[in-house]
Amino acid sequence: MSLYTAETRRLGKRRFTKFLLGGVVLVLIAIAVGMFFANEKNTPATVAAAQAKADSEYQAAVRQSAQDKQTCVAAQGTPDASNWPPSCDDVYQPQTSDFQAAWYMPATFDFREQFPNMITAMAAIVAVAAFVIGASFVGAEWASGGMMNLLLWRPRRLQVLGTKLGALLVALTGLTVLLSAAWTGAFALIAGLRGSLDSMTSGAWQSILLMELRGLAVVLAAGAIGFGLASIGRHTAVAMGVAVGVVVLLQFGLYIVLSMANVGFAEVVLATTWGTAWMNKTATVTDWNSCNFSGNGGCTPDELIVNWPAAGGGLAALLVVVVGIALWTIRSRDIT
Amino acid sequence: MSAVLEIAGLQKTYRSRKGVRKALDGFDMVVEAGQVHGFLGPNGSGKTTTLRTLLGLIRPNGGRMAILGREVPQALPEVAGSVGAIVESPQFFGNFSAQDTLSLLADAGGVPRTRVFEVLELVGLRDRSKDRVKTYSLGMKQRLAVASALLKNPKLLILDEPANGLDPGGIREMRGLMAGLAESGMTVLLSSHILGEIQLICDSVTIIAAGRRVAAGSVAEVLATHASTSLRVRLEAVSDLTSSAAALRDAGAQVVVEPDHLMVSGLAQPSAVTRTLAERGVYVSELSPVTADLESVFLELTGTAPVEGSNRQVDQTVMAQAGGWGR
């Protein structure tokens, strides 16, 4: 327990941790403030204004349509006739349903519709921070010799690394839970002031909570993977290098190569596909080169559904491999 | 007197594309309780490998080690609380203060935090304890390293080059600290290249070269066993040095000609020098015995004395065949 306490203190004392978390909080505040000012609550006045705008647009379209029909009739028997339908009755006639007031309403924050995307955004930002904090937490210790010093005090390698990882994950859990609560509260407030919470049923809240738990899992996995990679390489830069390599090679390089080779479902190599599948329960990958022709639907491309158990399984496998190798290396390698 | 530290037949082999290198080749060492024991060896001889292996940082390929009567590395977790150590250069996280660094170690080792202030006072860092370590000089980092090793109030203190980077005052303070610790009953294993310090501080020494022990015992024993006492001979006329050296060699002595005197060894009696030279009409102005110090014994045993006109390489010792890279 004393080692766990010491490692928790060490993590909290690190200036890098404080600066990074400060940056994360500032970014999240900026997003929340931006969403606040980008949305407006629907009032009878805004609804009336939108309806007036829709009506006005409809009337303008009607006038344009009448003018087009006259031009079409006048063009009959002239070379310009080719620019018009064979029958001038086929000239577009606007319908009132084409000009709905809802389309002219100012943006409003519908909590049920839009907050899930906010959860994903927050999970992604905190996960990146967790990866860097995890990598730096153990990488700086290896590089500075602090880890060797610690092992002179506690010559149980697996216990030391495991306790460090445990302290990191517990701290990340606390941080993510706090941020999630603040994030939910902030957007509930934004929805109350600049949108709507009306459609939030208990089931919807439960769904939000489950999504936040999946976000927490992403944050913890990112932290543990960053920690594991830095421990394997005994330097923070190794984890950063692997991350950059994966982004450049897999996210850009491999995807571009597969796309150029017209390989189907190339998007399946993108981490965003798997991240979306995990957070939103499913993600659809489309093979734009395929064509399933039907008389009424035309060409319909093939689709591949990636679901959350597959995405979660992939994430868990990556986690087990990285942390497993980190534990194996600290157990078996000389510390020089 | 009981042994606090015992090493027998310790072996460590490194394999690489260059071949196989025996860093430790059946090394032995015994440190008795309450002693300050010097651990000497040239660069690359295996000193740090020995200490790292002893402390569980490196796995040996063979041999036996025991600390405080317990076999290590198996019992290392149990005895670690009684062993304070610094290995090689002091290494700490630069952005933490000395106080933070030590209090975190104290927390990790279950040591009361009050001990932190005691050791900071002891090594002279009290007034700089809240400064970040990266602002410290090498000597101050060295003091912090010693403080971290003393934090546990250990029974066995292992210090690798503790005087490295210290100013003359700091070296003297370190010497006093070692003496005080030994008086309090602590056993100190001290690795250093400052052989004058070792000779002053240590009760006993072990000398390692190419991964093997080449000498061990009390400082006096090692000096007596391995030092050949020589005579410094000055002549009335410096121009007689060469001919006198030849005459003494004819009489069975080993002679080294220095610019203004001769160093003579291998004669049973000093009177043989005066007799031999007087017979040739050469008269001696000074005849004084030169007592070998630890440095000369070290250089002789390890074969690392500088040779004029050649540049000795790191692995080049009397036992280079055993310690170098091989296939």
Side-chain angles (χ1 to χ4, degrees):
Chain A
M1 194 61 192
S2 57
L3 181 60
Y4 171 79
T5 310
E7 290 310 313
T8 304
R9 274 186 65 217
R10 190 191 307 277
L11 180 62
K13 273 186 172 292
R14 302 195 68 234
R15 291 195 313 160
F16 185 78
T17 308
K18 291 175 188 168
F19 286 149
L20 202 62
L21 290 184
V24 165
V25 169
L26 285 179
V27 168
L28 294 179
I29 288 173
I31 292 173
V33 169
M35 292 301 287
F36 180 86
F37 287 109
N39 289 282
E40 280 182 40
K41 197 172 183 67
N42 285 343
T43 61
T46 56
V47 172
Q51 187 60 58
K53 178 74 174 168
D55 291 345
S56 159
E57 292 288 320
Y58 172 69
Q59 293 303 329
V62 167
R63 283 195 296 276
Q64 182 65 45
S65 173
Q67 191 179 341
D68 288 348
K69 196 167 183 178
Q70 281 179 359
T71 310
C72 173
V73 171
Q76 294 301 310
T78 70
D80 278 350
S82 60
N83 294 327
W84 299 96
S87 166
C88 290
D89 290 337
D90 290 341
V91 169
Y92 168 66
Q93 287 293 319
Q95 305 296 314
T96 51
S97 61
D98 295 339
F99 296 88
Q100 295 178 21
W103 299 348
Y104 300 94
M105 296 284 287
T108 190
F109 192 81
D110 185 326
F111 193 88
R112 184 168 183 168
E113 285 291 317
Q114 292 172 264
F115 187 61
N117 290 336
M118 294 294 111
I119 296 174
T120 302
M122 192 202 82
I125 292 167
V126 180
V128 170
F131 182 90
V132 178
I133 288 171
S136 160
F137 182 45
V138 73
E141 288 288 304
W142 275 117
S144 70
M147 185 62 112
M148 190 183 80
N149 237 349
L150 189 57
L151 289 171
L152 293 179
W153 279 70
R154 299 290 288 250
R156 293 180 190 272
R157 299 183 185 191
L158 289 179
Q159 189 191 49
V160 166
L161 194 73
T163 305
K164 275 183 107 67
L165 179 58
L168 171 74
L169 295 182
V170 169
L172 287 176
T173 302
L175 172 78
T176 310
V177 167
L178 276 177
L179 285 176
S180 296
W183 196 238
T184 309
F187 277 94
L189 189 65
I190 290 169
L193 296 172
R194 298 280 189 162
S196 170
L197 273 164
D198 295 345
S199 54
M200 289 304 294
T201 59
S202 63
W205 280 112
Q206 194 177 18
S207 177
I208 292 287
L209 181 65
L210 288 173
M211 194 173 182
E212 287 181 332
L213 284 176
R214 290 199 296 276
L216 170 64
V218 171
V219 170
L220 295 183
I225 289 169
F227 180 95
L229 289 173
S231 187
I232 292 166
R234 297 185 177 181
H235 207 291
T236 310
V238 173
M240 297 297 129
V242 169
V244 170
V246 165
V247 169
V248 172
L249 292 178
L250 281 183
Q251 302 301 285
F252 296 119
L254 185 57
Y255 175 66
I256 289 170
V257 168
L258 292 178
S259 300
M260 287 171 69
N262 292 327
V263 174
F265 307 117
E267 288 167 11
V268 85
V269 301
L270 297 178
T272 49
T273 301
W274 296 88
T276 305
W278 172 249
M279 292 301 292
N280 297 344
K281 294 188 183 174
T282 60
T284 304
V285 182
T286 306
D287 179 7
W288 297 106
N289 298 312
S290 62
C291 177
N292 299 301
F293 186 78
S294 65
N296 52 354
C299 233
T300 309
D302 286 336
E303 288 186 339
L304 176 69
I305 305 294
V306 181
N307 56 22
W308 70 269
L315 189 64
L318 182 63
L319 183 68
V320 167
V321 167
V322 171
V323 175
I325 292 175
L327 292 171
W328 177 77
T329 52
I330 195 173
R331 185 174 176 275
S332 57
R333 279 162 63 184
D334 286 343
I335 295 166
T336 53
Chain B
M1 206 181 287
S2 62
V4 169
L5 169 61
E6 293 171 273
I7 296 175
L10 191 62
Q11 297 192 13
K12 177 64 185 176
T13 304
Y14 290 109
R15 294 171 198 282
S16 75
R17 280 178 294 179
K18 287 170 68 182
V20 178
R21 182 179 184 276
K22 286 185 174 176
L24 294 173
D25 189 13
F27 177 69
D28 305 306
M29 181 160 70
V30 177
V31 178
E32 304 290 349
Q35 284 192 338
V36 179
H37 188 94
F39 186 26
L40 315 177
N43 294 335
S45 60
K47 291 192 304 295
T48 301
T49 303
T50 302
L51 298 183
R52 285 178 187 272
T53 308
L54 190 65
L55 295 165
L57 300 174
I58 291 177
R59 286 175 204 282
N61 297 105
R64 177 185 161 272
M65 298 177 290
I67 295 176
L68 300 166
R70 307 285 306 276
E71 296 280 327
V72 291
Q74 295 85 345
L76 203 51
E78 287 80 50
V79 298
S82 304
V83 181
I86 56 169
V87 183
E88 266 188 339
S89 55
Q91 296 177 325
F92 297 102
F93 187 57
N95 283 323
F96 284 172
S97 68
Q99 195 176 315
D100 286 341
T101 302
L102 294 182
S103 70
L104 285 167
L105 282 176
D107 278 2
V111 173
R113 285 200 200 166
T114 50
R115 178 71 182 153
V116 170
F117 301 101
E118 289 172 18
V119 294
L120 284 169
E121 174 78 35
L122 202 59
V123 300
L125 282 178
R126 181 194 59 207
D127 296 336
R128 297 288 302 275
S129 64
K130 291 199 163 95
D131 293 357
R132 279 190 280 160
V133 171
K134 71 179 180 186
T135 66
Y136 284 11
S137 66
L138 178 59
M140 290 168 70
K141 287 179 186 167
Q142 198 66 260
R143 287 167 189 259
L144 177 58
V146 173
S148 74
L150 288 172
L151 202 54
K152 292 185 257 190
N153 203 5
K155 291 178 183 163
L156 172 63
L157 181 64
I158 298 173
L159 301 175
D160 194 3
E161 295 289 347
N164 190 20
L166 294 182
D167 53 29
I171 292 175
R172 182 172 284 189
E173 284 168 20
M174 192 63 71
R175 191 194 307 156
L177 182 63
M178 298 297 129
L181 293 171
E183 272 176 26
S184 72
M186 194 180 290
T187 306
V188 182
L189 175 62
L190 186 63
S191 157
S192 177
H193 284 127
I194 306 177
L195 299 180
E197 283 299 311
I198 292 281
Q199 196 166 350
L200 279 173
I201 299 172
C202 293
D203 305 303
S204 56
V205 293
T206 295
I207 300 178
I208 183 174
R212 296 181 200 162
R213 182 173 73 181
V214 292
S218 70
V219 174
E221 281 171 5
V222 170
L223 288 173
T225 309
H226 299 282
S228 53
T229 303
S230 56
L231 298 166
R232 180 165 47 236
V233 180
R234 290 185 199 279
L235 308 176
E236 282 184 337
V238 175
S239 56
D240 292 334
L241 282 176
T242 310
S243 59
S244 299
L248 290 168
R249 285 189 188 112
D250 290 343
Q254 287 95 49
V255 184
V256 176
V257 182
E258 301 288 353
D260 62 346
H261 67 275
L262 301 174
M263 293 301 296
V264 181
S265 60
L267 290 175
Q269 295 294 328
S271 58
V273 173
T274 53
R275 191 183 310 117
T276 304
L277 296 180
E279 284 168 0
R280 285 162 176 75
V282 177
Y283 297 100
V284 171
S285 63
E286 179 190 335
L287 181 66
S288 55
V290 176
T291 306
D293 59 8
L294 195 55
E295 181 174 287
S296 51
V297 170
F298 174 85
L299 293 174
E300 181 192 326
L301 285 172
T302 59
T304 52
V307 177
E308 197 174 331
S310 70
N311 299 312
R312 186 180 65 82
Q313 303 304 303
V314 168
D315 281 336
Q316 200 175 330
T317 69
V318 284
M319 306 172 85
Q321 291 297 319
W325 291 98
R327 290 193 184 268

